[in-house]
Amino acid sequence: LTLLEPLIKEYLSEIQSPASVSAYLKELAIAPINIEGTLMGFWGMRVQELVPGRRVATIKAFYLRKEYRGRYLNRVADELIRGLSKQGVTDLEIWAHPGVQRWLKKRYGIKPKIIVTNDPIEAFQVYGN
C-alpha cells in the first residue's frame, strides 16, 4: 500500500479530484500494474457476484504513469483481462473516458454500451423551464 499511495495521489491530482487517498481506497480495490519488476500504475476496481455464477468486475479507474503510457498500454490491458478470467470474472464493466472507448473498439472490437461523459453540469442545458 505504501508503494501505491504515491501513484494514487498522482492519479487524483491528474484528474483534479478532491478525494483523499484513504477515501479512494475505501471505494475501490487497487490492483497494481507491475511489469518486469517496475510498478507502473494501478487499476481501481470492484469485483462483485451479483447472481450465482456471474462475477462482475467494474473498472472505475486506470492509471499508468505518463512515461509508460505509449508502449505498455496494450500489454497492461491484456494482462488484466487474463488475470480477471483466472479469478472467475465472467463480465467486465468499464467506466471510460471517450478516448479510452475508441481504444477499446480498436483493440478488442468492443463497442461500449455505457457512454460516460466528463462534462461539467453547466454544459447540460435544461429546456422547457
Side-chain angles (χ1 to χ4, degrees):
L1 185 59
T2 55
L3 295 174
L4 287 170
E5 190 170 333
L7 290 172
I8 296 168
K9 283 181 182 177
E10 287 175 27
Y11 171 74
L12 293 172
S13 175
E14 189 171 311
I15 65 167
Q16 300 175 350
S17 172
S20 68
V21 173
S22 61
Y24 192 78
L25 290 170
K26 287 179 185 174
E27 167 95 14
L28 302 171
I30 304 297
I33 297 170
N34 193 337
I35 295 181
E36 298 168 4
T38 303
L39 182 61
M40 298 181 179
F42 68 89
W43 295 95
M45 69 180 83
R46 189 177 302 136
V47 178
Q48 302 170 321
E49 188 164 353
L50 301 177
V51 294
R54 297 199 66 91
R55 293 190 69 194
V56 178
T58 302
I59 307 295
K60 289 200 134 190
F62 165 66
Y63 182 70
L64 197 59
R65 284 195 159 140
K66 289 182 183 181
E67 62 263 29
Y68 303 117
R69 289 182 187 170
R71 42 182 239 223
Y72 288 101
L73 185 59
N74 291 339
R75 182 175 173 184
V76 164
D78 291 346
E79 286 184 10
L80 174 74
I81 301 301
R82 278 192 292 275
L84 291 174
S85 294
K86 288 178 185 176
Q87 293 177 31
V89 170
T90 58
D91 297 272
L92 185 60
E93 177 180 66
I94 301 173
W95 293 76
H97 185 275
V100 175
Q101 293 173 0
R102 286 188 294 276
W103 173 81
L104 285 168
K105 187 171 184 178
K106 181 179 175 185
R107 177 75 179 163
Y108 297 106
I110 295 170
K111 183 175 182 195
K113 296 175 186 158
I114 298 172
I115 304 300
V116 178
T117 182
N118 294 316
D119 295 329
I121 192 71
E122 297 85 24
F124 295 88
Q125 298 179 14
V126 179
Y127 299 99
N129 286 346

